């Protein structure tokens, strides 16, 4: 159905874009690695800024920490370190470990939702899907108050988001075993009807009308259930990219946040230059995301601009070239190059976990010890 024609964005974006990050963490038993339903005492143990920057999540075994709005990556890093350490201390006081991992690695016995009306409504509507084991993501917000521009930027982001997804892959384990996927979180989330690649929209009016239709059809309860991989935030004047697993270390998160900000800035430039967003079939975009979740950076990715599978690191290198002007403008180029080189040496979070599994004959406890240390390193 054709809707309103595209409307030109009202005003240019600022040269320096603000950013913020939401990180979700699991609360695990130090001995067994099982998920523990202690989110409430963990949040109650937080104080001051850390308490204010914490959020209740959909599982009793999860806690979310949200940074303030930041203008540079050094500032962002400082907030991430402080929030992770505060949450880890609170988790320890509650008899748990704070662990930055994308999906429940062992098991979760308590899958009830917190006692909130909206969560109960989601449970009734979506049934067992709403009671899958907990998954944790990293959501990056980039300041962009013009919603028309934000919708157009999301169109332009589509070819590159599988590369971001592959960079963040950090959930190879399920039920104590390797799933064969670098991001099992991505596989679990596919069961939800409102999660997946962002559709192409002609305008903000087209976006809003489509969301209204999906709510009317019962696919979403409300506008906050738009869980597409990139969206104009329902809460903040930002573009929110929510495709990635929570990252194992602060340095990994800073890298992803810097890349996402540069991606948004680059696509703002493309929109203002009048460049059309690539029109890619949704099935091909979905396939590219599946391949990113399966291979991470240890295999091939689908090149949505040229077609076909290519070595993952070739696409990472092309992404870096594409983003170099925006990274330079924000003062992030040198840091980003260093961190990309580090990930090239060390691998993604999934690769690191598998390396420990191979070295310890499948000892999941060794993996979780490593992840616990990585979560608060920095």
């Amino acid at each position: 159905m054709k809707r309103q024609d595209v409307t030109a964005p009202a005003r240019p974006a600022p040269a320096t874009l603000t950013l913020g990050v939401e990180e979700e963490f699991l609360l695990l038993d130090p001995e067994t690695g099982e998920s523990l339903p202690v989110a409430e005492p963990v949040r109650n143990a937080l104080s001051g800024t850390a308490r204010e920057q914490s959020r209740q999540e959909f599982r009793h075994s999860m806690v979310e920490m949200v940074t303030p709005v930041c203008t540079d990556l050094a500032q962002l890093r400082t907030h991430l370190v402080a929030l992770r350490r505060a949450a880890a201390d609170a988790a320890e006081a509650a008899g748990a470990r704070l662990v930055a991992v994308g999906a429940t690695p062992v098991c979760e016995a308590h899958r009830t939702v917190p006692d909130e009306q909206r969560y109960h409504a989601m449970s009734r509507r979506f049934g067992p899907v709403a009671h899958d084991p907990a998954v944790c993501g990293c959501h990056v917000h980039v300041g962009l108050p013009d919603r028309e521009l934000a919708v157009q930027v999301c169109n332009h982001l589509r070819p590159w988001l599988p590369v971001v997804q592959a960079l963040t892959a950090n959930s190879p384990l399920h039920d104590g075993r390797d799933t064969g996927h670098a991001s099992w979180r991505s596989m679990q989330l596919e069961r939800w009807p409102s999660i997946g690649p962002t559709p192409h929209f002609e305008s903000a009016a087209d976006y809003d009308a489509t969301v209204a239709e999906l709510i009317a059809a019962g696919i979403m309860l409300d506008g906050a259930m738009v869980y597409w991989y990139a969206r104009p935030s329902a809460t903040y004047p930002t573009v929110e990219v929510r495709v990635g697993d929570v990252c194992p270390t602060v340095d990994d998160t800073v890298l992803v946040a810097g890349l996402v900000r540069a991606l948004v800035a680059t696509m703002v430039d493309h929109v203002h230059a009048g460049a059309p967003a690539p029109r890619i079939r949704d099935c091909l975009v979905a396939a590219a995301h599946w391949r990113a979740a399966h291979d991470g950076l240890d295999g091939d990715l689908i090149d949505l601009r040229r077609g076909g599978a290519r070595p993952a690191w070739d696409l990472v290198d092309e992404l870096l070239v594409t983003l170099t002007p925006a990274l330079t403008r924000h003062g992030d180029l040198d840091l980003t190059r260093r961190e990309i080189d580090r990930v090239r040496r060390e691998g993604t979070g999934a690769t690191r976990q598998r390396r420990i599994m191979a070295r310890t004959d499948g000892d999941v406890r060794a993996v979780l010890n490593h992840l616990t240390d990585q979560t608060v390193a920095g």
Side-chain angles (χ1 to χ4, degrees), residues 231-246:
R231 66 178 186 179
S233 171
T235 308
Y236 308 109
T238 65
V239 166
E240 179 184 3
V241 173
R242 45 187 301 120
V243 71
D245 290 356
V246 65

Side-chain angles (χ1 to χ4, degrees), residues 304-319:
L304 289 172
R305 299 158 305 140
R306 304 175 189 173
R310 298 178 58 203
W313 276 102
D314 286 359
L315 290 180
V316 174
D317 291 338
E318 290 182 13
L319 174 64

Side-chain angles (χ1 to χ4, degrees), residues 26 35 59 61-62 102-105 108 111 131-136 188:
L26 285 183
S35 299
R59 284 283 173 273
S61 59
M62 295 173 63
T104 299
E108 182 165 25
R111 301 190 193 178
H131 298 273
D132 280 345
V135 294
C136 296
Q188 279 190 231

Side-chain angles (χ1 to χ4, degrees), residues 43 54-58 60 62 64 114-116 119:
R43 290 194 67 220
S54 70
R55 302 289 185 271
Q56 183 181 57
E57 262 300 330
F58 195 55
H60 293 288
M62 295 173 63
E64 181 180 61
D115 190 17
E116 288 193 2
Y119 288 159

Side-chain angles (χ1 to χ4, degrees), residues 261-284:
R261 175 165 68 172
L263 257 174
V264 170
T266 299
M267 300 314 152
V268 166
D269 293 343
H270 289 182
V271 172
H272 285 303
R279 298 301 291 260
I280 308 165
R281 290 179 178 175
D282 289 346
C283 61
L284 294 178

Side-chain angles (χ1 to χ4, degrees), residues 71-338:
T71 55
D72 62 66
L73 296 184
Q75 181 187 29
L76 178 69
R77 190 181 195 283
T78 297
H79 286 298
L80 290 169
V81 169
L83 291 172
R84 284 187 176 214
R85 288 180 175 169
D89 289 344
E92 184 176 5
R97 288 180 172 183
L98 186 83
V99 181
V101 64
T104 299
V106 179
C107 68
E108 182 165 25
H110 303 277
R111 301 190 193 178
T112 58
V113 299
D115 190 17
E116 288 193 2
Q117 182 177 352
R118 186 168 184 274
Y119 288 159
H120 287 304
M122 291 170 68
S123 178
R124 290 191 299 270
R125 174 67 58 83
F126 300 105
V129 172
H131 298 273
D132 280 345
V135 294
C136 296
C138 173
H139 305 161
V140 180
H141 289 260
V142 180
L144 210 61
D146 185 332
R147 282 190 82 250
E148 194 66 58
L149 179 58
V151 168
Q152 299 306 321
V153 164
C154 289
N155 289 340
H156 283 264
L157 289 174
R158 280 162 49 97
W160 289 111
L161 291 185
V163 183
V164 176
Q165 182 180 17
L167 272 163
T168 66
N170 186 38
S171 53
L173 303 182
H174 172 70
D175 200 22
R177 293 185 292 272
D178 194 327
T179 63
H181 292 77
S183 174
W184 186 245
R185 167 185 167 273
S186 299
M187 296 298 99
Q188 279 190 231
L189 289 176
E190 284 191 354
R191 285 157 56 89
W192 288 85
S194 60
I195 291 178
T198 311
H200 187 285
F201 294 104
E202 296 300 326
S203 63
D206 185 20
Y207 179 98
D208 293 339
T210 301
V211 171
E213 287 183 13
L214 291 169
I215 293 171
I219 304 303
M220 305 173 185
L221 295 183
D222 50 42
M225 282 196 71
V226 177
Y227 297 144
W228 294 320
Y229 295 153
R231 66 178 186 179
S233 171
T235 308
Y236 308 109
T238 65
V239 166
E240 179 184 3
V241 173
R242 45 187 301 120
V243 71
D245 290 356
V246 65
C247 297
T249 70
V250 166
D251 287 336
D252 294 320
T253 302
V254 170
L255 169 62
V256 171
L259 288 171
V260 169
R261 175 165 68 172
L263 257 174
V264 170
T266 299
M267 300 314 152
V268 166
D269 293 343
H270 289 182
V271 172
H272 285 303
R279 298 301 291 260
I280 308 165
R281 290 179 178 175
D282 289 346
C283 61
L284 294 178
V285 179
H289 280 288
W290 182 90
R291 191 64 183 265
H294 186 272
D295 287 17
L297 296 181
D298 292 329
D300 290 342
L301 295 176
I302 305 301
D303 187 339
L304 289 172
R305 299 158 305 140
R306 304 175 189 173
R310 298 178 58 203
W313 276 102
D314 286 359
L315 290 180
V316 174
D317 291 338
E318 290 182 13
L319 174 64
L320 187 57
V321 170
T322 300
L323 301 186
T324 290
L327 290 168
T328 302
R329 188 162 76 233
H330 286 89
D332 298 340
L333 182 60
D334 289 343
L335 181 149
T336 301
R337 284 175 170 166
R338 288 197 306 271

